Amino acid sequence: MLIAWAVTSGGGGGGGRDDAKPGGSDPVESITPGPGSSGPAISQQPGGRDESDDEGGTGGSGGSGEPSGGSGDGSSTGGTGTGTGDPSGAASGTGAGSSGGGGSAGQQVPAGSPLPECKPAAVQLSLRTKVSYGPDDKPKFELIAKNTSSSTCKADFGPKSAVLTVTEAGGEDDDPIWSSKDCPAAAGPLFLKVPAGATVIHTVDWNRTLSAPGCATPPAGKAGPGTYLLEAKAPGEPVQRASFVLAKD
């Protein structure tokens, strides 16, 4: 027994080892990882401001635009005009449109226009109306001025300058039953531009009422069926005449 004890206690020769621990039983030192995370380890940039917040900008938005092509009015009109009426039953119209029968409606210009006034020798005046008017028709009288000169001028078609009168044919007297100068709403001049070599037309509508000089009270009623004579007088121009019929019902 003494010999067995000596062998077991003296063998190994490597003093300083703790024989109480079995060989290879010391645990291997390891680093335990911290809790896992699916996000980045650092969620903010230094300074604590989220650099993804671009306060000064927003995503560019595509501008909405309309077609830049100009819009055009493809329609054209034959003309525009203005009309004036007066208590004597006439309405005159002027404008810048086409008129049937040759010529165009005269363009009105101010009395102070730099255009010179037409000389009688340079303008030929004529008169036109329909041969017959129905019971509900308003007779239309057309004063036609043709500029035979090479210069544009202005002609006065006012009710006291280019005077229109209507007389009953075969009546008891020759006094007009209506005149444009008796009681016009606008007694002043009415200047129309007459281009060189052109013809302009000034139209006066008559509603068949009677008139009296100086805006006196005219006879009651309207012109009845029958034949009437129409005259136009203008300074320096020969008297123009025409006739028309107001038909019965």
Side-chain angles (χ1 to χ4, degrees):
M1 291 178 65
L2 291 175
I3 295 171
W5 175 86
V7 172
T8 58
S9 62
R17 186 172 61 89
D18 187 358
D19 291 334
K21 294 180 180 180
S25 64
D26 292 337
V28 178
E29 183 177 349
S30 63
I31 299 175
T32 303
S37 173
S38 60
I42 299 176
S43 61
Q44 289 184 337
Q45 297 289 340
R49 185 172 68 90
D50 187 354
E51 295 294 338
S52 64
D53 290 337
D54 188 0
E55 296 178 359
T58 59
S61 60
S64 61
E66 297 181 357
S68 59
S71 63
D73 184 359
S75 62
S76 62
T77 59
T80 59
T82 59
T84 58
D86 62 69
S88 66
S92 61
T94 63
S98 298
S99 175
S104 62
Q107 176 187 350
Q108 186 173 351
V109 295
S113 167
L115 286 174
E117 290 193 37
C118 298
K119 298 179 179 180
V123 175
Q124 295 178 355
L125 189 66
S126 59
L127 182 62
R128 183 169 60 198
T129 188
K130 287 175 58 176
V131 174
S132 179
Y133 293 93
D136 299 324
D137 295 338
K138 286 184 178 181
K140 293 180 181 293
F141 310 141
E142 292 182 336
L143 279 169
I144 305 168
K146 181 179 180 180
N147 187 351
T148 59
S149 72
S150 58
S151 300
T152 299
C153 58
K154 60 185 178 184
D156 185 7
F157 287 85
K160 290 187 175 181
S161 181
V163 180
L164 292 169
T165 59
V166 175
T167 304
E168 186 176 2
E172 296 180 358
D173 55 48
D174 294 332
D175 291 337
I177 62 170
W178 174 84
S179 174
S180 63
K181 70 175 182 179
D182 279 348
C183 191
L190 175 62
F191 284 104
L192 303 182
K193 179 181 178 180
V194 188
T199 300
V200 300
I201 301 172
H202 176 62
T203 303
V204 176
D205 295 341
W206 178 48
N207 65 3
R208 305 190 185 204
T209 58
L210 310 181
S211 68
C215 288
T217 303
K222 293 187 177 184
T227 301
Y228 293 85
L229 303 178
L230 173 66
E231 286 189 352
K233 297 179 181 180
E237 295 284 346
V239 176
Q240 303 295 318
R241 293 180 175 91
S243 65
F244 62 93
V245 173
L246 298 182
K248 295 182 180 180
D249 292 342

